[in-house]
Amino acid sequence: MLKHLVRVRVRVRAIAIAISSSPKISSQLPIPSTFTFAFSLSSSTMAATDDSLRKSLADKHAAVEAQGNTVRALKAAGAPKTEIDAAIEALNALKLEKTSIERSLIGGSDTREAFRQAVVNTLERRLFYIPSFKIYRGVAGLFDYGPPGCAVKSNVLSFWRQHFVLEENMLEVDCPCVTPEVVLKASGHVDKFTDLMVKDEKTGTCYRADHLLKDFCNEKLQRDLALSSDKVSELKHVLATLDDLSAEELGAKIKEYEIVAPETKNALSAPYPFNLMFQTSIGPSGLSPGFMRPETAQGIFVNFKDLYYYNGNKLPFAAAQIGQAFRNEISPRQGLLRVREFTLAEIEHFVDPQDKSHPKYDEVADLEFFMFPREQQMSGESAKKIPLRDAVSKGIVNNETLGYFIGRVYLFLTRLGIDKDRLRFRQHLANEMAHYAADCWDAEIECSYGWIECVGIADRSAYDLRAHTDKSGVPLVAQEKFSEPKEVEKLVITPVKKELGLAFKGNQRMVVEALEAMPEKEALDMKAALESKGEVEFEVCTLGKNVTIKKTMVTIQKEIKKEHQRVFTPSVIEPSFGIGRIIYCLFEHTFYTRPSKAGDEQLNVFRFPPLVAPIKCTVFPLVQNQKYEEVAKLISKSLTAAGISHKIDTTGTSIGKRYARTDELGVPFAITVDSTSSVTIRERDSKDQVRVDVEKAAIVVKEVTEGHRTWEDVWSTLPHHSSTSADD
C-alpha cells in the first residue's frame, strides 16, 4: 500500500450512508467528479503512521493526567478561581486533542467500510451481481452475475483472450470440471490442499482458524487505543507470520488471546486440516472417485504430450484455459473475493529450463511499476517503482520469461481500468514458496479490503510434468535434436529392481520410477549420502511418503555417452488470474460519486473504460416524439450493425434522470436525439457533448469505443453542444 496513495481530499469523521432505490447516496459529502477513494498506506508507512499516532496518544494521555493532577492540586490549595479556570480550560483542550488522535486511529476503517457498502449496495441494486438462491436465503460463497455483471465479465474475458491467447499465439483448451482422483493425487491436491479449521464446540459452526486470528489482531490494532507498543509489535508480528503457524501454534494463539466463536461467543475446538475440494464419484458404481477441480491447470499438464505434438514438437509454447474452479471454502466472506465457485484464466508457458529468455522481452522491459521484492518486505520497507529491466538484470526477478509475463499482466490490468498506483507486484517470501518453485510474484490490487492477490505469476520449474510422469508412467518430456552427435557426461541412475522388489513389493514400480526421475542434484546428493551412511530417506510423491533407500538398491554414476538429442522435462511459467477478484477491484477503482446540479443528492458513477463497460452507448429521444423515436430506432440499427452494445430508452423520464441511470451502469456514451438531422453525443465523466449528423453517430461511437479515436480527438473536431438543463 504505497505511501503516496492517500488521496482522500475530504476529511470524513463519520459517514452514514443510506442507499435508496434512486441512484444516489443521500448522506454522503459532496465530492468532485475526480474524487478517488484510496484509503490505505504501504505496510511500512501505515505501520509508521500508526506507531506515531499511538505514541502521540500515549503522550497526550500522560499530559491529560498531569494537567488533571494540576487542577486537583490547585483546588486543594485554594488557588484563585481565575487560575483554576485557566487550568481547567487547558485540560479540556488536551482532552479534545486526545479525542482527535483517537478518531484518527479508528476513522480509516470506518471510511473504508462506508465506501465498500456504497459500492456493494449499488452493484446489487443495479444487478451487477447478487447472492445466489436469494429467495431461499442464499448460500455463502455463491453469487449470480446479473445482466451488467455478465457483460463486464464477458468483456474482461474477451480482452484476456485478445491480450494473451491471440497476441501470444497460445493454444487454448477446455477441459472438464470433474477430475479423477488419481490426477489430483499426483498433483498433491488430495493430500495438501487444506486449510486449518476450528468449530464452535456447541453449535458445530465452522470457521477458518487463521481468519479468526487475523480478524482479532486487526480489530485490536484498529480499535484498542490503550495497546502498549510491545503489544502492538506482538500483534503485527503475528499477522506477518500467520502463514507459517502450524496447527498447534495457531491453536495456542487462539487460546492465548481467548478467541471465541464470533456469533455465539462459545469456545472453539483445536484447529485441524480440512480439504477444500468438493468430492464426487464418477459413474453410478461409486468406484471411481473424483473431485470438482480446484484449478484449471491440471487439465493442461496432462495434455502436454498432445499439445507439444500439435505445436510441431517445438518449445517454447503456451497453453491457456478459461473455466470454472471450485473450492469448498470454510467460511466464505468478502463478497466476490472469496467464493466457492469462481472463474480462473490460466496460462502454462512451457520453456527449456536451460533457456528462459523471451523473444519479446524488450517490448515490456522499459515498463516501470510498483514492485515489492522480498528483501523490502523483510526489512520493513514499502513497495517502490522499479524498471522491469533492472529487476530482471539484477536477479530480483528470476528470468526474462517470468519478467515478460509480469510486464504483460501489468499492461492487461491497467488497460482494464485498474489504478496503476494501487497495483503492486509482490514477491513471495521464502516461506511462502513451494520447494520446487524458482520464483513467484503476485499482482496485488488495493481495495477497501486491503491488498488482494488477483494474479499469481510463478516459475513452477518442472514439478508438475514430473509429478504426472511419475504417477502415469507416460513421459511428459521434450527433445532438443543436435545437428551433430555430442559426447556428453550423463548421470545414469540404475535401480536394482530385485532389491527394490524385496523391500517394497507391490510399490516397487513407483519407487523405481521416482528414482529414475530424480533431478541430477538430488541424485548426486543421494549418491554422497549412500556412500557415507549406507542408506538415505527418499520421498516418493506417488506414494505420498518417504522410503529408505539402501546402497544395494541403486547405482548412481556418471558415464560418457554419445547422444543425438537431449531429452528433458520442460519448466513451466504460470500466470493464473482470479477473474472475479479482478472484476471486484475494478468495480471499486472505477466507482465515484458526484453532486447533482441542484446539489441536493450524490449520483453514483462507474467510470469503466469503453473496453469493459457493460453497455457502450445509450440512445435517448429528448422527449416523447414520434419523429425522434424513429431516428432513435435508425441509430439503434446502425449501432447493432457496427457490433456496439447499446440500450434505447424511450420513456418519458427527464433526460437528466436517464443520464444518471446510465452513468450508474458505467455507460461511457449517450446519444440524445433532439432533431431529425443531427444528434448529440455525451461523454460520461466530463459530461461534455458534441453534435454530429444522424448517419455518423454510430460511426463516431464505434471509433471511440474500439480505441481508434480518443474522446479528446472527437471533442476537438466536432461542434460542441451545451445545455443548461440536460444534467438537471
Side-chain angles (χ1 to χ4, degrees), residues 16 23 103 128 147 181 184 226 233 318 340 346 420 518 605 629 646-647 684:
R103 286 176 177 172
F128 280 87
E181 181 184 48
L184 295 167
S233 298
R340 288 176 164 139
E346 295 191 296
K420 67 180 185 300
M518 269 193 298
V605 186
E629 289 178 10
H646 64 283
K647 182 178 181 180
R684 176 195 59 220

Side-chain angles (χ1 to χ4, degrees), residues 180-469:
E181 181 184 48
V182 65
V183 174
L184 295 167
K185 184 76 174 174
S187 67
H189 285 85
V190 171
D191 298 321
K192 298 177 181 177
F193 197 65
T194 59
D195 279 335
L196 292 172
M197 182 169 76
V198 292
K199 277 187 177 180
D200 183 316
E201 291 189 339
K202 291 186 178 178
T203 67
T205 304
C206 299
Y207 303 95
R208 189 165 148 178
D210 60 333
H211 283 176
L212 291 181
L213 182 55
K214 181 180 179 181
D215 290 346
F216 172 84
C217 294
N218 283 328
E219 182 74 11
K220 275 285 186 184
L221 289 169
Q222 291 171 9
R223 302 288 181 182
D224 191 342
L225 306 179
L227 285 178
S228 67
S229 58
D230 288 345
K231 196 66 176 177
V232 169
S233 298
E234 176 192 327
L235 294 175
K236 288 181 178 178
H237 178 71
V238 170
L239 289 172
T241 59
L242 199 56
D243 291 337
D244 293 338
L245 298 180
S246 65
E248 293 74 19
E249 291 168 331
L250 200 52
K253 286 293 180 189
I254 287 173
K255 280 190 176 181
E256 178 186 346
Y257 295 144
E258 299 179 343
I259 298 173
V260 294
E263 288 85 12
T264 64
K265 309 305 179 190
N266 293 330
L268 296 167
S269 69
Y272 61 95
F274 171 75
N275 193 291
L276 298 177
M277 292 192 294
F278 286 98
Q279 190 165 12
T280 186
S281 60
I282 303 171
S285 69
L287 300 177
S288 179
F291 295 90
M292 302 301 289
R293 65 184 178 190
E295 61 181 27
T296 64
Q298 301 307 317
I300 297 175
F301 294 138
V302 299
N303 284 315
F304 170 79
K305 186 175 180 180
D306 293 321
L307 291 168
Y308 181 58
Y309 174 77
Y310 180 86
N311 199 53
N313 295 327
K314 293 178 181 177
L315 284 182
F317 77 89
Q321 181 170 195
I322 297 171
Q324 296 302 97
F326 307 83
R327 297 181 186 177
N328 195 11
E329 293 285 351
I330 296 167
S331 49
R333 56 184 190 170
Q334 299 181 340
L336 294 180
L337 299 182
R338 189 168 294 280
V339 293
R340 288 176 164 139
E341 180 181 349
F342 50 95
T343 302
L344 283 179
E346 295 191 296
I347 297 164
E348 309 301 332
H349 182 89
F350 299 100
V351 62
D352 187 336
Q354 295 181 7
D355 180 13
K356 293 183 180 178
S357 61
H358 197 287
K360 295 168 68 178
Y361 169 67
D362 283 338
E363 294 181 13
V364 300
D366 294 325
L367 291 173
E368 185 175 333
F369 43 80
F370 286 101
M371 302 188 78
F372 203 9
R374 63 173 64 97
E375 287 73 17
Q376 273 68 48
Q377 297 174 57
M378 297 300 291
S379 62
E381 299 176 48
S382 59
K384 60 183 179 181
K385 282 191 175 181
I386 301 175
L388 184 57
R389 191 184 300 277
D390 289 355
V392 173
S393 64
K394 293 176 181 177
I396 298 171
V397 173
N398 185 268
N399 57 75
E400 273 191 12
T401 298
L402 186 63
Y404 176 74
F405 278 106
I406 289 174
R408 290 289 290 165
V409 169
Y410 170 80
L411 292 174
F412 170 74
L413 293 173
T414 52
R415 288 172 183 171
L416 278 182
I418 296 299
D419 182 352
K420 67 180 185 300
D421 289 331
R422 285 188 277 168
L423 167 65
R424 72 181 184 189
F425 289 82
R426 187 186 69 83
Q427 188 176 29
H428 282 204
L429 299 175
N431 57 27
E432 294 179 88
M433 289 213 306
H435 66 279
Y436 52 79
D439 196 8
C440 298
W441 293 77
D442 288 338
E444 296 183 333
I445 303 173
E446 187 193 31
C447 69
S448 62
Y449 289 105
W451 286 102
I452 303 299
E453 171 199 343
C454 293
V455 186
I457 310 120
D459 183 338
R460 296 177 58 85
S461 193
Y463 171 80
D464 301 283
L465 294 182
R466 283 193 179 127
H468 287 299
T469 294

Side-chain angles (χ1 to χ4, degrees), residues 71-90:
V71 171
R72 283 188 287 274
L74 288 171
K75 287 181 177 179
K81 185 176 183 302
T82 53
E83 194 172 338
I84 294 174
D85 288 345
I88 291 173
E89 187 176 347

Side-chain angles (χ1 to χ4, degrees), residues 523-578:
L524 290 173
D525 290 343
M526 176 180 282
K527 177 180 171 67
L530 289 173
E531 289 174 353
S532 62
K533 300 176 184 176
E535 63 180 40
V536 66
E537 289 295 304
F538 175 60
E539 182 184 3
V540 181
C541 65
T542 51
L543 289 177
K545 65 179 182 179
N546 286 351
V547 299
T548 301
I549 301 295
K550 297 183 178 178
K551 191 174 182 179
T552 57
M553 295 178 179
V554 64
T555 60
I556 302 170
Q557 58 188 15
K558 288 193 173 183
E559 297 178 0
I560 302 296
K561 288 194 169 187
K562 186 174 283 190
E563 292 193 340
H564 296 270
Q565 65 179 11
R566 177 173 71 97
V567 180
F568 60 93
T569 305
S571 287
V572 177
I573 311 294
E574 180 191 71
S576 177
F577 299 74

Side-chain angles (χ1 to χ4, degrees), residues 91-151:
L91 176 62
N92 290 336
L94 286 170
K95 286 180 177 179
L96 283 173
E97 291 172 12
K98 176 172 168 282
T99 301
S100 177
I101 295 171
E102 289 172 343
R103 286 176 177 172
S104 296
L105 271 168
I106 66 174
S109 94
D110 291 339
T111 306
R112 281 193 295 274
E113 289 171 11
F115 170 67
R116 182 192 310 138
Q117 196 59 49
V119 176
V120 170
N121 284 349
T122 304
L123 291 170
E124 291 191 4
R125 180 165 47 78
R126 296 313 305 264
L127 218 58
F128 280 87
Y129 72 88
I130 53 174
S132 300
F133 317 113
K134 192 165 67 169
I135 64 171
Y136 292 101
R137 294 187 293 180
V139 178
L142 297 176
F143 292 92
D144 297 336
Y145 285 91
C150 279

Side-chain angles (χ1 to χ4, degrees), residues 538-678:
F538 175 60
E539 182 184 3
V540 181
C541 65
T542 51
L543 289 177
K545 65 179 182 179
N546 286 351
V547 299
T548 301
I549 301 295
K550 297 183 178 178
K551 191 174 182 179
T552 57
M553 295 178 179
V554 64
T555 60
I556 302 170
Q557 58 188 15
K558 288 193 173 183
E559 297 178 0
I560 302 296
K561 288 194 169 187
K562 186 174 283 190
E563 292 193 340
H564 296 270
Q565 65 179 11
R566 177 173 71 97
V567 180
F568 60 93
T569 305
S571 287
V572 177
I573 311 294
E574 180 191 71
S576 177
F577 299 74
I579 299 301
R581 290 186 170 196
I582 292 170
I583 288 172
Y584 179 77
C585 290
L586 179 65
F587 287 151
E588 281 207 10
H589 283 208
T590 55
F591 180 84
Y592 67 98
T593 63
R594 61 186 175 201
S596 63
K597 276 217 168 183
D600 59 345
E601 61 183 12
Q602 290 292 317
L603 306 177
N604 300 329
V605 186
F606 284 105
R607 53 163 162 262
F608 297 127
L611 180 72
V612 296
I615 301 169
K616 311 301 183 191
C617 179
T618 48
V619 184
F620 301 142
L622 182 63
V623 293
Q624 286 185 315
N625 176 294
Q626 185 64 35
K627 291 182 179 179
Y628 290 176
E629 289 178 10
E630 290 300 321
V631 172
K633 290 176 183 177
L634 180 65
I635 293 173
S636 176
K637 287 183 180 179
S638 300
L639 290 168
T640 301
I644 301 299
S645 62
H646 64 283
K647 182 178 181 180
I648 187 168
D649 186 346
T650 58
T651 63
T653 310
S654 73
I655 192 68
K657 288 184 178 178
R658 281 182 278 172
Y659 283 151
R661 283 204 301 254
T662 57
D663 289 348
E664 196 174 45
L665 285 173
V667 182
F669 303 105
I671 297 174
T672 303
V673 180
D674 57 359
S675 82
T676 56
S677 59
S678 67

